[in-house]
Amino acid sequence: MGDMGDDDMTGNRARGAEKHDHAVPAALAEAFRHGWADTAIQAPPVSGAAYAAKRRAAVSERFPGERIVVPSGGLKARSNDFDYAFRPHSAFVHLTAEQGTQAVPDSVLVFEPDGNGHSVTLFTRPRSPRDGGPDGAGFYGDRRYGEFWVGRRRTLAETADALGIESAPREDLERALRGRKAPTRVVRGEDSLVDALVPPASGAGAEAEAELLTFLSESRLVKDEWEVEQLRAAVGHTVAGFHDVVGELDHATGLERGERWIEGTFNRRARLEGYGLGFETIAAAGAHACVLHWMRNDGPVRTGDLLLLDAGVEADSFYTGDVTRTLPVGGRFTDVQRRVYDLVFAAQSAGIAALRPGARFGDFHAAAMRVIAEGLDEWGLLPGGAEAALAPDSGLYRRFTLCGSGHMLGLDCHDCAAARRQSYPDGLLAPGHVLTVEPGLYFQPDDLTVPEELRGIGVRIEDDFLITADGAQCLSSGLPRAADEVEAWMASLR
Ligand code: GLY
Ligand code: MN
């Protein structure tokens, strides 16, 4: 087992046996090689494989004659011999439909020019052999990849069957990338071996790689029917997590770090129904709601305060929900809380009404912000008036809104981040787009420009929408939105 701690081809230290492990005498090593039954892997079939094949065909068509390399990424050490949970790169998932715990670190998808198209190979780590070979002790000795440490991986044949992609061992990757020189574009920064074998180009070469990222990102803008199904499921699980949280609110109020109880309650649902979380749960009670991404979650949850919960379950397919509700912890909004809530609700409703194919992506934000600015003006918080505050060279209302009102949603919570301005923020909505509408108002606890009663109140309402042929469908309609409905719903669950 002395070779098990050597650097592997990922450039990461492949942790095998640790320094303090018991030595394996030859007789034991020999015994480990025998006496195992054949087993078939217990994995659900990959339902999205046929859709991923179409996406690979689109890559092939866009980059004729070029080699395209899309790694899954690898494990990241948390400390010593423990890693963070593995989550493959979204571009890799999109092109393979790889699922949850079946995903294998350090996999690499290679499109090799072949005739008029490409042959596509998935280089991956197959199941370790039990009878010796280069990784002979791996199945019981390797803490990072060994079957007896982290679970069984698919054999190459099982991977090819599950995903419908020809599969080869990762050891063959170097030869494949060093072989016949085709112009090569790589998703960089995910796999140190790939990065080393295909040195980063400058000038036109760098632009070519940026273009690949852009293409991969933009090809995720319109979701196909299978992706919509995955997003419906992810949002459905997310809605269930919100129900769970309301059922636990009373318990949370009795704890010093009640926000953690809220986080844990949601996260339990995420692990039960999906792969996990699309992003760290934001459980922000009281003035913490004024911090947009409050993920510390170390505060109390007090009756009389609001709880802003912004959370999303990531399904086993790695598609995620992203929903926010701002809830009165005691079950009833105070007058001032309700005033703020109702203004955000009106803004969100205006934003939702602006969703339709052909609308500009920015329209829903503009509609929501107009309502917000007019409301703030009525409250005397915009000295120059709403119109002046809305002017692009002012934006004074943004002191209280801080960020945009929504984003594309998919494999990433903030999906399609490498898309060009003209195809996303400055583009038009189209059937198959999935996005959030999530305006908010945040009155910082130390903001001396607002009346004291508003300070420390933060409200965001966020729902997920599918753009359809003639409008938009709310995927998170399983949760109430209006203040009265929220109160009634909470009463029914407690
Ligand atoms: N749910 C977190 C965000 O959209 O930023
Ligand atoms: Mn969001």
Side-chain angles (χ1 to χ4, degrees):
M1 295 185 39
D3 60 340
M4 295 301 298
D6 291 346
D7 277 4
D8 78 351
M9 297 191 304
T10 64
N12 297 319
R13 198 176 136 75
R15 286 183 302 260
E18 291 292 303
K19 214 163 99 184
H20 301 139
D21 276 358
H22 299 286
V24 178
L28 176 58
E30 181 56 23
F32 262 125
R33 292 160 68 114
H34 308 287
W36 308 110
D38 272 347
T39 58
I41 197 149
Q42 303 295 315
V46 173
S47 61
Y51 292 89
K54 284 193 206 157
R55 297 173 205 141
R56 292 195 297 278
V59 171
S60 176
E61 193 177 325
R62 169 64 183 79
F63 300 105
E66 295 188 50
R67 182 190 283 150
I68 302 297
V69 185
V70 184
S72 71
L75 294 169
K76 179 171 164 39
R78 183 182 184 282
S79 74
N80 190 23
D81 60 339
F82 283 94
D83 294 308
Y84 289 101
F86 177 59
R87 201 286 190 179
H89 191 283
S90 295
F92 176 88
V93 174
H94 194 238
L95 296 174
T96 58
E98 185 57 287
Q99 299 275 309
T101 53
Q102 292 305 307
V104 176
D106 310 318
S107 298
V108 181
L109 192 65
V110 177
F111 294 69
E112 189 66 35
D114 184 4
N116 288 332
H118 291 79
S119 59
V120 182
T121 306
L122 178 59
F123 294 88
T124 187
R125 296 175 184 279
R127 183 183 191 189
S128 327
R130 297 283 180 90
D131 58 353
D135 187 26
F139 70 94
Y140 64 88
D142 186 330
R143 291 163 178 254
R144 199 172 212 189
Y145 301 109
E147 185 169 331
F148 290 2
W149 286 90
V150 295
R152 182 185 183 310
R153 288 186 298 276
R154 294 175 300 219
T155 63
L156 292 175
E158 284 166 341
T159 298
D161 276 354
L163 301 178
I165 309 174
E166 191 185 319
S167 299
R170 184 179 161 88
E171 291 89 76
D172 292 357
L173 178 64
E174 180 160 1
R175 199 172 36 207
L177 293 186
R178 280 197 200 286
R180 188 169 66 83
K181 277 277 172 264
T184 302
R185 303 193 202 211
V186 167
V187 172
R188 201 162 287 283
E190 295 299 321
D191 190 305
S192 51
L193 175 66
V194 170
D195 289 350
L197 290 171
V198 187
S202 54
E207 272 171 38
E209 287 193 348
E211 209 180 359
L212 171 63
L213 274 187
T214 298
F215 175 81
L216 294 173
S217 211
E218 291 187 357
S219 67
R220 285 164 41 199
L221 280 165
V222 172
K223 274 65 182 176
D224 62 36
E225 58 187 350
W226 183 80
E227 292 181 289
V228 170
E229 201 183 297
Q230 301 311 309
L231 281 160
R232 279 189 204 285
V235 176
H237 303 323
T238 300
V239 166
F242 277 73
H243 282 259
D244 294 346
V245 162
V246 171
E248 294 288 327
L249 268 179
D250 287 339
H251 186 68
T253 56
L255 302 170
E256 204 173 309
R257 297 207 289 183
E259 289 176 345
R260 289 287 167 90
W261 193 261
I262 300 302
E263 174 189 335
T265 300
F266 186 85
N267 294 9
R268 180 181 61 210
R269 176 64 60 174
R271 285 294 283 166
L272 180 71
E273 309 272 16
Y275 188 62
L277 300 168
F279 52 92
E280 292 300 311
T281 295
I282 297 164
H288 291 161
C290 301
V291 180
L292 294 174
H293 284 178
W294 177 259
M295 296 169 174
R296 299 181 191 173
N297 302 346
D298 57 359
V301 175
R302 295 196 182 96
T303 307
D305 279 349
L306 295 174
L307 168 72
L308 185 156
L309 176 66
D310 181 345
V313 174
E314 181 180 70
D316 283 322
S317 56
F318 299 113
Y319 288 80
T320 190
D322 179 13
V323 173
T324 305
R325 285 295 181 270
T326 306
L327 308 168
V329 174
R332 302 293 296 265
F333 292 98
T334 65
D335 287 347
V336 63
Q337 287 168 350
R338 182 180 274 258
R339 218 179 313 138
V340 178
Y341 189 95
D342 284 348
L343 181 52
V344 175
F345 174 78
Q348 197 206 21
S349 302
I352 294 167
L355 296 178
R356 61 180 160 276
R360 281 175 312 195
F361 179 83
D363 287 353
F364 74 88
H365 174 64
M369 291 305 101
R370 171 158 293 280
V371 171
I372 292 274
E374 285 170 358
L376 290 172
D377 186 26
E378 258 177 51
W379 296 351
L381 297 180
L382 295 177
E387 222 49 59
L390 284 164
D393 64 350
S394 162
L396 282 183
Y397 70 92
R398 291 167 56 186
R399 179 183 178 99
F400 311 115
T401 60
L402 303 180
C403 64
S405 308
H407 52 85
M408 294 294 183
L409 182 70
L411 283 166
D412 293 332
C413 172
H414 294 172
D415 210 31
C416 310
R420 290 164 300 172
R421 282 207 75 80
Q422 70 256 37
S423 20
Y424 177 0
D426 294 344
L428 303 182
L429 293 178
H433 283 166
V434 175
L435 73 164
T436 70
V437 179
E438 51 172 312
L441 270 175
Y442 312 95
F443 298 107
Q444 302 300 328
D446 55 354
D447 189 341
L448 301 179
T449 72
V450 301
E452 206 169 337
E453 61 174 3
L454 287 177
R455 293 178 204 162
I457 293 182
V459 172
R460 175 161 68 251
I461 313 172
E462 176 177 31
D463 286 278
D464 303 336
F465 294 88
L466 166 69
I467 302 299
T468 60
D470 53 4
Q473 193 182 95
C474 183
L475 304 180
S476 41
S477 59
L479 290 175
R481 277 200 317 122
D484 285 343
E485 291 167 7
V486 167
E487 288 182 351
W489 170 66
M490 291 179 72
S492 76
L493 289 175
R494 298 170 94 172

